[in-house]
Amino acid sequence: MRAVRLPVVTAAATVAALTALTACTTKSGAESGDHVIQVTASDDACKVSKKEFPAGHIELAIENKGSKVTEVYVLFPDDRIVAERENIGPGTKQRITAEVKAGDYRIACKPGMKGDGIRQEVKATGGTVAKRDPKLDRAVADYRRYAQEQADETLPRVKTFVEAIKAGDLEAAKKAYAISRLGWERTEPVAESFGDIDPKVDVRADGLEDGQKWTGWHRLEKALWADKKIGAEEKTLADQLLTDLEDWQKRVGTAEITPTSMANGAKELLDEVATGKVTGEEDRYAHTDLVDFKGNVEGAQKAYELLKPVAQKNDPALAQELDKQFAALEKLLDTYRTDKTSYDFVSYDKVGKDKRKELSDAVNALAEPLSKLAAAVVK
Amino acid sequence: MTDRTTDPTAAETGSRAPSRRALIGWGGAGLALGAAAAGGAVAMARTGEDVDPAGAATGGAVGFHGAHQAGIATDVQDRLHFAAFDVKTDDRAEFVRLLKDWTAAARRMTAGLEVGEGAHGGLAEAPPDDTGEALGLKPSRLTLTIGFGPSLFEKFGLEDRRPVALSELPQFPGDNLDRSRTGGDLCVQACADDPQVAVHAIRNLARIGFGKVAIRWSQLGFGKTSSTTPDAQTPRNLFGFKDGTRNIAGTETARLKKFVWVGDGDGPDWMTGGSYLVARRIRMNIETWDRTSLQEQEDVFGRDKGEGAPVGRAKEHDAPFLKAMKPDSHVRLAHPDANDGITILRRGYSFTDGTDGLGRLDAGLFFLAYQRDIRKGFIPLQRRLAASDALNEYIQHVGSAVFAIPPGVRDKDDWWGRTLLTEEA
């Protein structure tokens, strides 16, 4: 894992609503007018000055009269984010601008920046009705299912890994390690969106914060490969890993997923490869980096394949380039395994400097166009 | 020859939107007038093709279009980011598309404008087209110069277009070349007075190139070690000696034509107006040099350290009496008079990449030399130097590459490499 980020929940999604308008022609100082909605947030209320307003450009004039830091969202009825502003301190004022088509929305304040928040139903009227692209809805639903499947399939593999450790069977544990991570690696951005799980299961020694106990896969990896021993501590940590991943399995279905968060999540999976796997830092004791690498690429490809019907229509050249680069990277990865149906890859410490550069070049070649997928989806 | 100072690109594009170029316009005018008043005689004397005295004083833009690429005879800027690329695609049309995209980006960046749709204000969910670290900076006389390496001609059916003057270098005695700092299918030389502007340019070109080309190696340089403006103070290399006293000036049209620019009939037509570049990363043994007596240092170069005067003479620009120098002195061996008049245009930069694992300064000279024919320029000179130059005790060549530098981009419809990659040249 990298430094914890929450890209999936914060990415603003949208078909109807787009940018925070910086070049808006309306007087931004105006406190009234049809498009301005006063939002008064407190620790237990979220008052809005009007519940109906004309579609088009809207402006939320927010005042936090509570004692906690809050955040304010404009949401679609299904919780997709239209616009948001975080970190609104007690006693401060903030403004959010957004453009909305006619339809139902929610304005939510989250005192303490936790939980579902306090919601108000509002309605934008007139103009055209916001239509959601059913293709994108399907993509999100399918991706949600995929994330859940990955978690479901991961748990038995983790159990095998954990049982080997608890039996003190070093070789069996080593064998089960890399494959137990596959489902996690495929859906890492979703998994990382639960900020509390990732630091427990996938942190590396150098990612620890002061006072944080090192737990999870990489701690066990070090025991198996570097220390070459399994003690009581490792057995406890193995149980802990299973518990934490069960938590992930339960919660993964509730992740906020949007078409743009899927697209940017795919790119982030490649970032994971570029920063951790290509350098050999991720599995520095086991050298199974190529298995994680493959998992990241597969997860990115899944998100892309689901979004492709829309991306292809909006930006055919981009889709063509992505098809080509995914295929090229897959072909290159295939040269590192003898059996294309298994996940046995060459140990990464056997991959020389030139070969690592070749892998890095292929990752860049894919990640750069992939960073444009979100734009193609919301176009 | 085109007068680059009248090139309209920068002014036209600059007036469209607030930009680095436009901002310069405001502050630049007064400074330019000041420069003209103070240095009128100098400005009047400069009629070379891409010399822009006002621009030099204000960090203005160097015209991108012309018969020759900018960045060769152009007054040497203070900073360098040089990058060698490998081509990753085998699709000729895709490669051509990249060169056109690169040209468009280079045209904008050298004019002080952002790449594509800019660095901010676009779609919130997507990364901006421009990386943004040059926002608010002056154009800083950025020049971008492209070159094609010998290995490129093995691709895209270009074998029969390879110029013989683009000769691979022989193994010179003492060379210790690091493969990861050697060769390349393409190069881009970015020179600017502000290092951030040069780095920004290479970074954005690399980004546009992902999937089609990949950076093989790159080198940052500072403190130009040769100048193309002899009336300015001659710069010094990291050994503390003035370097490039007799270099070709950007204004010396006749010498440029004779030694630097590829002429009609020199080779394939597509190269006419171009040049050939030799790039060498020369590591200096700084610590041992600094322990060397002044006499030995001056003997090694054949010039005195303070004034830069040749042995037995008083002033830097006094004609050297080569026989007065030690037979193995650098200047004696390298001087045109000792080499049947062989002359190259040098544009090298000092570099230091911090320290090596032994605590020694990882520093030296990133040598860049332009010539009309490598076989008649760098190779015979370096053969002589490699065999007997006293300086060899203190230096080692550790990286190397050669490139064919195509002619300039003529106008806004033209693109880098057009003469090579289209049949009509």
PDB file of all heavy atoms in Angstrom, chain B residues 114-139:
ATOM      1  N   GLU B 114       1.436  26.944 -22.131  1.00  0.00           N
ATOM      2  CA  GLU B 114       1.213  25.617 -21.561  1.00  0.00           C
ATOM      3  C   GLU B 114       0.908  24.603 -22.667  1.00  0.00           C
ATOM      4  O   GLU B 114       0.400  24.951 -23.727  1.00  0.00           O
ATOM      5  CB  GLU B 114       0.011  25.661 -20.596  1.00  0.00           C
ATOM      6  CG  GLU B 114       0.237  26.538 -19.386  1.00  0.00           C
ATOM      7  CD  GLU B 114      -1.077  26.943 -18.724  1.00  0.00           C
ATOM      8  OE1 GLU B 114      -1.809  26.045 -18.289  1.00  0.00           O
ATOM      9  OE2 GLU B 114      -1.369  28.144 -18.687  1.00  0.00           O
ATOM     10  N   VAL B 115       1.170  23.361 -22.373  1.00  0.00           N
ATOM     11  CA  VAL B 115       0.873  22.284 -23.313  1.00  0.00           C
ATOM     12  C   VAL B 115      -0.638  22.050 -23.362  1.00  0.00           C
ATOM     13  O   VAL B 115      -1.314  22.086 -22.325  1.00  0.00           O
ATOM     14  CB  VAL B 115       1.581  20.979 -22.872  1.00  0.00           C
ATOM     15  CG1 VAL B 115       1.143  19.807 -23.735  1.00  0.00           C
ATOM     16  CG2 VAL B 115       3.089  21.158 -22.937  1.00  0.00           C
ATOM     17  N   GLY B 116      -1.158  21.832 -24.542  1.00  0.00           N
ATOM     18  CA  GLY B 116      -2.563  21.430 -24.726  1.00  0.00           C
ATOM     19  C   GLY B 116      -3.525  22.420 -24.108  1.00  0.00           C
ATOM     20  O   GLY B 116      -3.477  23.619 -24.362  1.00  0.00           O
ATOM     21  N   GLU B 117      -4.419  21.905 -23.260  1.00  0.00           N
ATOM     22  CA  GLU B 117      -5.443  22.748 -22.635  1.00  0.00           C
ATOM     23  C   GLU B 117      -4.944  23.395 -21.346  1.00  0.00           C
ATOM     24  O   GLU B 117      -5.717  24.013 -20.631  1.00  0.00           O
ATOM     25  CB  GLU B 117      -6.689  21.918 -22.331  1.00  0.00           C
ATOM     26  CG  GLU B 117      -7.328  21.254 -23.548  1.00  0.00           C
ATOM     27  CD  GLU B 117      -8.000  22.281 -24.458  1.00  0.00           C
ATOM     28  OE1 GLU B 117      -8.735  23.130 -23.944  1.00  0.00           O
ATOM     29  OE2 GLU B 117      -7.754  22.222 -25.677  1.00  0.00           O
ATOM     30  N   GLY B 118      -3.690  23.195 -21.044  1.00  0.00           N
ATOM     31  CA  GLY B 118      -3.135  23.884 -19.893  1.00  0.00           C
ATOM     32  C   GLY B 118      -3.048  23.038 -18.637  1.00  0.00           C
ATOM     33  O   GLY B 118      -3.321  21.842 -18.653  1.00  0.00           O
ATOM     34  N   ALA B 119      -2.693  23.720 -17.543  1.00  0.00           N
ATOM     35  CA  ALA B 119      -2.364  23.018 -16.300  1.00  0.00           C
ATOM     36  C   ALA B 119      -3.487  23.044 -15.281  1.00  0.00           C
ATOM     37  O   ALA B 119      -3.420  22.371 -14.262  1.00  0.00           O
ATOM     38  CB  ALA B 119      -1.100  23.625 -15.692  1.00  0.00           C
ATOM     39  N   HIS B 120      -4.517  23.842 -15.528  1.00  0.00           N
ATOM     40  CA  HIS B 120      -5.618  23.881 -14.558  1.00  0.00           C
ATOM     41  C   HIS B 120      -6.881  24.395 -15.233  1.00  0.00           C
ATOM     42  O   HIS B 120      -6.835  24.882 -16.358  1.00  0.00           O
ATOM     43  CB  HIS B 120      -5.271  24.744 -13.350  1.00  0.00           C
ATOM     44  CG  HIS B 120      -4.965  26.160 -13.717  1.00  0.00           C
ATOM     45  ND1 HIS B 120      -5.926  27.120 -13.839  1.00  0.00           N
ATOM     46  CD2 HIS B 120      -3.795  26.760 -14.026  1.00  0.00           C
ATOM     47  CE1 HIS B 120      -5.380  28.259 -14.193  1.00  0.00           C
ATOM     48  NE2 HIS B 120      -4.081  28.075 -14.320  1.00  0.00           N
ATOM     49  N   GLY B 121      -7.984  24.262 -14.514  1.00  0.00           N
ATOM     50  CA  GLY B 121      -9.242  24.775 -15.054  1.00  0.00           C
ATOM     51  C   GLY B 121      -9.979  23.774 -15.921  1.00  0.00           C
ATOM     52  O   GLY B 121     -11.094  24.035 -16.359  1.00  0.00           O
ATOM     53  N   GLY B 122      -9.383  22.642 -16.174  1.00  0.00           N
ATOM     54  CA  GLY B 122     -10.052  21.623 -16.984  1.00  0.00           C
ATOM     55  C   GLY B 122     -10.928  20.721 -16.138  1.00  0.00           C
ATOM     56  O   GLY B 122     -11.296  21.055 -15.014  1.00  0.00           O
ATOM     57  N   LEU B 123     -11.254  19.581 -16.700  1.00  0.00           N
ATOM     58  CA  LEU B 123     -12.107  18.619 -16.028  1.00  0.00           C
ATOM     59  C   LEU B 123     -11.481  18.187 -14.687  1.00  0.00           C
ATOM     60  O   LEU B 123     -10.327  17.819 -14.624  1.00  0.00           O
ATOM     61  CB  LEU B 123     -12.247  17.405 -16.950  1.00  0.00           C
ATOM     62  CG  LEU B 123     -13.453  16.513 -16.762  1.00  0.00           C
ATOM     63  CD1 LEU B 123     -14.737  17.312 -16.980  1.00  0.00           C
ATOM     64  CD2 LEU B 123     -13.376  15.356 -17.758  1.00  0.00           C
ATOM     65  N   ALA B 124     -12.304  18.248 -13.634  1.00  0.00           N
ATOM     66  CA  ALA B 124     -11.760  17.964 -12.302  1.00  0.00           C
ATOM     67  C   ALA B 124     -11.318  16.506 -12.155  1.00  0.00           C
ATOM     68  O   ALA B 124     -10.433  16.196 -11.371  1.00  0.00           O
ATOM     69  CB  ALA B 124     -12.793  18.309 -11.233  1.00  0.00           C
ATOM     70  N   GLU B 125     -11.957  15.621 -12.895  1.00  0.00           N
ATOM     71  CA  GLU B 125     -11.690  14.193 -12.718  1.00  0.00           C
ATOM     72  C   GLU B 125     -10.476  13.704 -13.497  1.00  0.00           C
ATOM     73  O   GLU B 125     -10.083  12.559 -13.352  1.00  0.00           O
ATOM     74  CB  GLU B 125     -12.896  13.355 -13.157  1.00  0.00           C
ATOM     75  CG  GLU B 125     -14.101  13.479 -12.253  1.00  0.00           C
ATOM     76  CD  GLU B 125     -14.944  14.689 -12.602  1.00  0.00           C
ATOM     77  OE1 GLU B 125     -14.575  15.440 -13.526  1.00  0.00           O
ATOM     78  OE2 GLU B 125     -15.968  14.900 -11.937  1.00  0.00           O
ATOM     79  N   ALA B 126      -9.938  14.539 -14.365  1.00  0.00           N
ATOM     80  CA  ALA B 126      -8.842  14.078 -15.219  1.00  0.00           C
ATOM     81  C   ALA B 126      -7.581  14.874 -14.937  1.00  0.00           C
ATOM     82  O   ALA B 126      -7.655  16.025 -14.515  1.00  0.00           O
ATOM     83  CB  ALA B 126      -9.234  14.239 -16.685  1.00  0.00           C
ATOM     84  N   PRO B 127      -6.405  14.269 -15.153  1.00  0.00           N
ATOM     85  CA  PRO B 127      -5.173  15.036 -14.971  1.00  0.00           C
ATOM     86  C   PRO B 127      -5.063  16.113 -16.052  1.00  0.00           C
ATOM     87  O   PRO B 127      -5.470  15.889 -17.187  1.00  0.00           O
ATOM     88  CB  PRO B 127      -4.075  13.983 -15.123  1.00  0.00           C
ATOM     89  CG  PRO B 127      -4.686  12.832 -15.830  1.00  0.00           C
ATOM     90  CD  PRO B 127      -6.148  12.872 -15.552  1.00  0.00           C
ATOM     91  N   PRO B 128      -4.512  17.275 -15.707  1.00  0.00           N
ATOM     92  CA  PRO B 128      -4.373  18.346 -16.706  1.00  0.00           C
ATOM     93  C   PRO B 128      -3.373  17.979 -17.800  1.00  0.00           C
ATOM     94  O   PRO B 128      -2.507  17.136 -17.587  1.00  0.00           O
ATOM     95  CB  PRO B 128      -3.845  19.527 -15.885  1.00  0.00           C
ATOM     96  CG  PRO B 128      -3.968  19.147 -14.460  1.00  0.00           C
ATOM     97  CD  PRO B 128      -4.003  17.660 -14.387  1.00  0.00           C
ATOM     98  N   ASP B 129      -3.501  18.636 -18.951  1.00  0.00           N
ATOM     99  CA  ASP B 129      -2.593  18.380 -20.073  1.00  0.00           C
ATOM    100  C   ASP B 129      -1.167  18.818 -19.771  1.00  0.00           C
ATOM    101  O   ASP B 129      -0.214  18.197 -20.209  1.00  0.00           O
ATOM    102  CB  ASP B 129      -3.061  19.155 -21.320  1.00  0.00           C
ATOM    103  CG  ASP B 129      -4.277  18.521 -21.954  1.00  0.00           C
ATOM    104  OD1 ASP B 129      -4.646  17.410 -21.534  1.00  0.00           O
ATOM    105  OD2 ASP B 129      -4.868  19.132 -22.872  1.00  0.00           O
ATOM    106  N   ASP B 130      -1.050  19.939 -19.051  1.00  0.00           N
ATOM    107  CA  ASP B 130       0.284  20.451 -18.744  1.00  0.00           C
ATOM    108  C   ASP B 130       0.575  20.176 -17.266  1.00  0.00           C
ATOM    109  O   ASP B 130      -0.320  20.276 -16.436  1.00  0.00           O
ATOM    110  CB  ASP B 130       0.355  21.961 -19.026  1.00  0.00           C
ATOM    111  CG  ASP B 130       1.758  22.505 -18.864  1.00  0.00           C
ATOM    112  OD1 ASP B 130       2.208  22.710 -17.710  1.00  0.00           O
ATOM    113  OD2 ASP B 130       2.419  22.729 -19.889  1.00  0.00           O
ATOM    114  N   THR B 131       1.830  19.859 -16.975  1.00  0.00           N
ATOM    115  CA  THR B 131       2.165  19.485 -15.604  1.00  0.00           C
ATOM    116  C   THR B 131       2.233  20.688 -14.662  1.00  0.00           C
ATOM    117  O   THR B 131       2.152  20.527 -13.450  1.00  0.00           O
ATOM    118  CB  THR B 131       3.503  18.731 -15.576  1.00  0.00           C
ATOM    119  OG1 THR B 131       4.472  19.519 -16.267  1.00  0.00           O
ATOM    120  CG2 THR B 131       3.368  17.392 -16.277  1.00  0.00           C
ATOM    121  N   GLY B 132       2.412  21.890 -15.216  1.00  0.00           N
ATOM    122  CA  GLY B 132       2.164  23.104 -14.433  1.00  0.00           C
ATOM    123  C   GLY B 132       3.326  23.736 -13.697  1.00  0.00           C
ATOM    124  O   GLY B 132       3.189  24.824 -13.170  1.00  0.00           O
ATOM    125  N   GLU B 133       4.491  23.061 -13.650  1.00  0.00           N
ATOM    126  CA  GLU B 133       5.555  23.660 -12.825  1.00  0.00           C
ATOM    127  C   GLU B 133       6.231  24.853 -13.495  1.00  0.00           C
ATOM    128  O   GLU B 133       7.033  25.533 -12.863  1.00  0.00           O
ATOM    129  CB  GLU B 133       6.582  22.600 -12.404  1.00  0.00           C
ATOM    130  CG  GLU B 133       7.530  22.124 -13.487  1.00  0.00           C
ATOM    131  CD  GLU B 133       6.948  20.997 -14.316  1.00  0.00           C
ATOM    132  OE1 GLU B 133       5.705  20.890 -14.412  1.00  0.00           O
ATOM    133  OE2 GLU B 133       7.743  20.228 -14.882  1.00  0.00           O
ATOM    134  N   ALA B 134       5.895  25.114 -14.755  1.00  0.00           N
ATOM    135  CA  ALA B 134       6.485  26.281 -15.415  1.00  0.00           C
ATOM    136  C   ALA B 134       5.519  27.465 -15.450  1.00  0.00           C
ATOM    137  O   ALA B 134       5.838  28.510 -16.013  1.00  0.00           O
ATOM    138  CB  ALA B 134       6.933  25.928 -16.831  1.00  0.00           C
ATOM    139  N   LEU B 135       4.347  27.303 -14.843  1.00  0.00           N
ATOM    140  CA  LEU B 135       3.381  28.408 -14.811  1.00  0.00           C
ATOM    141  C   LEU B 135       4.012  29.617 -14.144  1.00  0.00           C
ATOM    142  O   LEU B 135       4.612  29.491 -13.078  1.00  0.00           O
ATOM    143  CB  LEU B 135       2.145  28.006 -13.997  1.00  0.00           C
ATOM    144  CG  LEU B 135       1.140  27.076 -14.657  1.00  0.00           C
ATOM    145  CD1 LEU B 135       0.051  26.712 -13.648  1.00  0.00           C
ATOM    146  CD2 LEU B 135       0.526  27.732 -15.872  1.00  0.00           C
ATOM    147  N   GLY B 136       3.846  30.759 -14.780  1.00  0.00           N
ATOM    148  CA  GLY B 136       4.352  31.988 -14.163  1.00  0.00           C
ATOM    149  C   GLY B 136       5.835  32.220 -14.412  1.00  0.00           C
ATOM    150  O   GLY B 136       6.359  33.260 -14.042  1.00  0.00           O
ATOM    151  N   LEU B 137       6.512  31.254 -15.009  1.00  0.00           N
ATOM    152  CA  LEU B 137       7.926  31.466 -15.334  1.00  0.00           C
ATOM    153  C   LEU B 137       8.047  32.054 -16.738  1.00  0.00           C
ATOM    154  O   LEU B 137       7.184  31.852 -17.582  1.00  0.00           O
ATOM    155  CB  LEU B 137       8.695  30.142 -15.267  1.00  0.00           C
ATOM    156  CG  LEU B 137       8.700  29.446 -13.903  1.00  0.00           C
ATOM    157  CD1 LEU B 137       9.473  28.130 -13.970  1.00  0.00           C
ATOM    158  CD2 LEU B 137       9.310  30.360 -12.844  1.00  0.00           C
ATOM    159  N   LYS B 138       9.132  32.757 -16.963  1.00  0.00           N
ATOM    160  CA  LYS B 138       9.368  33.326 -18.292  1.00  0.00           C
ATOM    161  C   LYS B 138       9.683  32.214 -19.287  1.00  0.00           C
ATOM    162  O   LYS B 138      10.093  31.125 -18.889  1.00  0.00           O
ATOM    163  CB  LYS B 138      10.565  34.277 -18.212  1.00  0.00           C
ATOM    164  CG  LYS B 138      10.318  35.462 -17.306  1.00  0.00           C
ATOM    165  CD  LYS B 138      11.587  36.279 -17.165  1.00  0.00           C
ATOM    166  CE  LYS B 138      11.316  37.474 -16.254  1.00  0.00           C
ATOM    167  NZ  LYS B 138      12.502  38.326 -16.132  1.00  0.00           N
ATOM    168  N   PRO B 139       9.560  32.489 -20.581  1.00  0.00           N
ATOM    169  CA  PRO B 139       9.960  31.471 -21.570  1.00  0.00           C
ATOM    170  C   PRO B 139      11.427  31.070 -21.396  1.00  0.00           C
ATOM    171  O   PRO B 139      11.830  29.983 -21.774  1.00  0.00           O
ATOM    172  CB  PRO B 139       9.739  32.172 -22.909  1.00  0.00           C
ATOM    173  CG  PRO B 139       8.728  33.238 -22.636  1.00  0.00           C
ATOM    174  CD  PRO B 139       8.970  33.686 -21.206  1.00  0.00           C
TER     175      PRO B 139
END
